[in-house]
Amino acid sequence: TAAYGTPQRSVTGYDQRRLNMILAVLEKRARFKLGQKDVFLNMAGGLKVVDPAIDMAVVAAIMSSNFDISVSRKTCFIGDVGLSGEFRTVTRIDQRVAEVEKLGFDAVVIPKDNLKGVKDKFKIKVVEVGKIEELLRYLFE
């Protein structure tokens, strides 16, 4: 919760406007009360990320912080968030999942519409989610 009245939004390595949009979608679709919360987002290693496929990971991090429950370090998230809270497909999903598998992750969460043929090609557990609410249920139920 914001200590000094006005909540801070501090972003390093990610688009500030995109974070604000994601926070608004979380408020509207997942009923998160983030209007009075400070939000700090930092991409590790000094990276600047412009790929919208990282949106799902940002959403998962915000949810994790809001509930103060950690997300498994062995789970990867790939998905673009839309204004209605849906996860949109991303390009090159096969290459992305193959790389996630090579890096030793146990599971990858991808948009439902990207699932065609991906689940059967890899040994890694592939989880499909269509909306923010489904990601919330997957992570914390």
Side-chain angles (χ1 to χ4, degrees), residues 60-75 77 136 138-141:
I62 292 168
M63 288 178 172
S64 170
S65 178
N66 190 62
F67 291 121
D68 204 17
I69 299 172
S70 64
V71 175
S72 170
R73 292 173 151 241
K74 291 294 202 168
T75 301
F77 303 91
L136 183 65
Y138 169 73
L139 291 175
F140 303 113
E141 284 186 354

Side-chain angles (χ1 to χ4, degrees), residues 18 21 55 78-83 86-90 111 114 130:
R18 190 126 186 111
M21 186 271 301
D55 289 355
I78 304 170
D80 178 13
V81 178
L83 287 175
E86 83 281 6
F87 290 110
R88 298 183 292 219
T89 60
V90 296
N114 262 145

Side-chain angles (χ1 to χ4, degrees), residues 1-12 16 19-20 23 27 33-42 62 65:
T1 304
Y4 302 108
T6 305
Q8 296 181 59
R9 304 288 189 250
S10 178
V11 181
T12 304
Q16 173 83 42
L19 175 64
N20 289 335
L23 294 173
E27 287 250 355
K33 303 295 182 217
L34 299 169
Q36 296 302 313
K37 303 260 182 162
D38 293 333
V39 178
F40 301 96
L41 179 62
N42 181 30
I62 292 168
S65 178

Side-chain angles (χ1 to χ4, degrees), residues 78-108:
I78 304 170
D80 178 13
V81 178
L83 287 175
S84 65
E86 83 281 6
F87 290 110
R88 298 183 292 219
T89 60
V90 296
T91 58
R92 302 183 336 266
I93 193 68
D94 288 347
Q95 290 172 322
R96 293 172 192 257
V97 174
E99 192 63 28
V100 167
E101 188 174 60
K102 261 196 269 181
L103 290 170
F105 284 86
D106 293 335
V108 61

Side-chain angles (χ1 to χ4, degrees), residues 9-19 22 40-52 54-55 58:
R9 304 288 189 250
S10 178
V11 181
T12 304
Y14 189 75
D15 183 21
Q16 173 83 42
R17 292 169 299 185
R18 190 126 186 111
L19 175 64
I22 288 173
F40 301 96
L41 179 62
N42 181 30
M43 295 297 147
L47 294 174
K48 175 120 175 96
V49 181
V50 294
D51 186 355
I54 198 168
D55 289 355
V58 171

